[in-house]
């Protein structure tokens, strides 16, 4: 478990080589312990490291490997691995497998029985708030700016609004805010995107980890190629994101942070306006039942 946490910390700092080394140590320890949950967890960590390095094919492979390992487990690690698989598929531009994996994750959530890893909390469990965050991340990667996606992205941010909650993490909050900015951009609403990015851009340097930097640069890339980049405020927002550190403090020499933003598959609708109203917290299941159909929800501490 210690080597898992150290590996995760290295990845947050953008030190991928060290993260990969410690992940191999964690995987070896898990195998020695013959603990299926820990083995699956390390597969998920391999997927996460590959994802933030822009190696989406590897991320998909490791997540799928973990899904197989976790097939007979009852805890949330299996749900997390499906979310990782969905997110990697979305980054590759494969919408159907991404949405299918998230529907499977939603179904599996209903059968979860917390296990020994879930009892530890933190990085060893996968709360519903994070599942929704991953779902929205997939839609953002696919370039979806529908009104429903904007609402889901808003709820994902709200899910991390309470810093005293057990599921809260500043990295997840910032990631959700970047995703909200992306879906606002894809809907044609630059003001919404600017407002969503404000808390991220105001983060102190010490909090700008690898995942947050990459997520922010994806917003910049979307601004550069989107239909709203001619608006008056766009150059200001673009310049501010460009001034965001190219790597977080502590990145080891030789490591580079990937800022690759996959090209969205969907046409970005224009003229979408935000609906106002009082918001509430939802579970992933609630969001589907509220609409009366199985709308696929797509799915990061650092993401």
């Amino acid at each position: 478990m210690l080597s898992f946490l150290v590996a995760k910390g290295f990845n947050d700092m953008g030190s991928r080589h060290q993260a990969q080394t410690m992940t191999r140590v964690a995987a070896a320890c898990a195998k020695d312990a013959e603990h299926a949950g820990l083995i699956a967890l390390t597969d998920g960590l391999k997927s996460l490291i590959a994802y933030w390095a822009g190696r989406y094919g590897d991320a998909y492979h490791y997540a799928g490997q973990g899904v197989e390992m976790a097939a007979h487990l009852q805890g949330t690690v299996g749900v997390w691995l499906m979310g990782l698989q969905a997110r990697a598929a979305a980054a590759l531009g494969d919408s159907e497998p991404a949405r299918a994996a998230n529907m499977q994750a939603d179904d599996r959530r209903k059968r979860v029985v917390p296990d020994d890893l879930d009892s530890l909390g933190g990085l060893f469990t996968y709360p519903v708030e994070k599942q929704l965050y991953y779902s929205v991340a997939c839609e953002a990667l696919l370039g979806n700016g529908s009104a429903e996606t904007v609402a889901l992205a808003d709820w994902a941010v709200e899910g991390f609004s309470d810093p005293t909650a057990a599921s809260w993490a500043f990295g997840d909050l910032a990631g959700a805010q970047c995703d909200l900015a992306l879906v606002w951009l894809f809907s044609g609403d630059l003001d919404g995107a600017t407002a969503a990015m404000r808390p991220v851009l105001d983060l102190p340097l010490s909090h700008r980890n690898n995942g947050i930097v990459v997520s922010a640069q994806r917003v910049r890339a979307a601004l550069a190629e989107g239909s709203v980049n001619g608006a008056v405020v766009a150059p200001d927002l673009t310049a501010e994101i460009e001034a965001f550190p190219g790597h977080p403090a502590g990145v080891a020499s030789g490591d580079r942070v990937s800022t690759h933003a996959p090209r969205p598959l969907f046409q970005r609708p224009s003229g979408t306006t935000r609906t106002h109203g009082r918001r509430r917290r939802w579970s992933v299941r609630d969001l589907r039942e509220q609409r009366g159909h199985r709308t696929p929800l797509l799915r990061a501490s650092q993401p």
Side-chain angles (χ1 to χ4, degrees):
M1 290 183 186
L2 179 59
S3 52
F4 176 92
L5 294 172
V6 172
K8 179 62 170 59
F10 274 131
N11 189 64
D12 284 354
M13 294 189 296
S15 302
R16 291 194 298 273
H17 296 306
Q18 290 91 332
Q20 290 166 351
T21 298
M22 291 308 300
T23 300
R24 288 193 290 270
V25 173
C29 292
K31 289 178 181 178
D32 286 345
E34 299 182 349
H35 193 291
L38 286 173
I39 295 172
L41 200 70
T42 56
D43 284 332
L45 184 56
K46 292 175 185 177
S47 175
L48 185 147
I49 292 170
Y51 173 82
W52 289 113
R55 300 186 347 258
Y56 303 128
D58 289 343
Y60 186 85
H61 166 74
Y62 289 128
Q65 186 173 280
V67 167
E68 293 181 6
M69 174 58 64
H72 302 294
L73 301 178
Q74 295 183 301
T76 62
V77 63
V79 186
W80 178 51
L81 285 156
M82 289 176 175
L84 288 167
Q85 190 175 42
R87 191 170 66 172
L92 289 166
D94 295 333
S95 59
E96 290 187 11
R99 292 189 170 116
N102 275 301
M103 290 183 72
Q104 292 167 4
D106 191 41
D107 289 338
R108 182 160 181 162
R109 170 69 67 177
K110 295 180 292 185
R111 303 191 301 273
V112 162
V113 177
D115 59 13
D116 53 345
L117 293 177
D118 290 309
S119 68
L120 296 173
L123 295 173
F124 298 102
T125 191
Y126 187 61
V128 69
E129 292 87 355
K130 196 159 187 172
Q131 185 179 352
L132 177 57
Y133 162 39
Y134 272 46
S135 299
V136 171
C138 288
E139 290 293 345
L141 287 164
L142 291 168
N144 191 346
S146 69
E148 181 180 21
T149 304
V150 171
L152 293 175
D154 217 13
W155 282 320
V157 171
E158 187 180 359
F160 296 112
S161 63
D162 182 4
T164 66
S167 60
W168 185 85
F170 74 85
D172 291 339
L173 173 59
Q177 289 163 334
C178 289
D179 290 337
L180 177 59
L182 281 171
V183 297
W184 273 127
L185 285 177
F186 298 148
S187 76
D189 190 326
L190 184 57
D191 290 340
T194 302
M197 284 301 295
R198 184 75 270 145
V200 179
L201 296 173
D202 288 343
L203 282 171
L205 182 62
S206 60
H207 284 53
R208 299 177 186 182
N209 67 26
N210 182 33
I212 296 173
V213 171
V214 172
S215 298
Q217 294 304 322
R218 283 178 177 155
V219 177
R220 181 186 64 80
L223 280 166
E225 62 185 37
S227 59
V228 298
N229 62 359
V232 175
V233 72
D236 293 338
L237 180 57
T238 300
E240 200 167 356
I241 297 175
E242 286 177 347
F244 211 64
H247 58 76
V251 172
S253 176
D255 278 335
R256 299 182 62 187
V257 173
S258 168
T259 57
H260 172 67
R263 186 172 298 278
L265 299 182
F266 299 121
Q267 181 78 26
R268 300 177 191 171
S270 61
T272 302
T273 59
R274 183 173 185 172
T275 57
H276 296 279
R278 185 176 173 183
R279 298 175 299 176
R280 54 161 287 194
R281 293 183 72 173
W282 298 78
S283 70
V284 173
R285 184 68 179 172
D286 285 337
L287 290 168
R288 289 210 181 106
E289 291 178 348
Q290 188 260 352
R291 289 167 176 79
H293 58 80
R294 291 176 61 83
T295 301
L297 295 181
L298 305 175
R299 260 202 222 267
S301 71
Q302 174 190 332

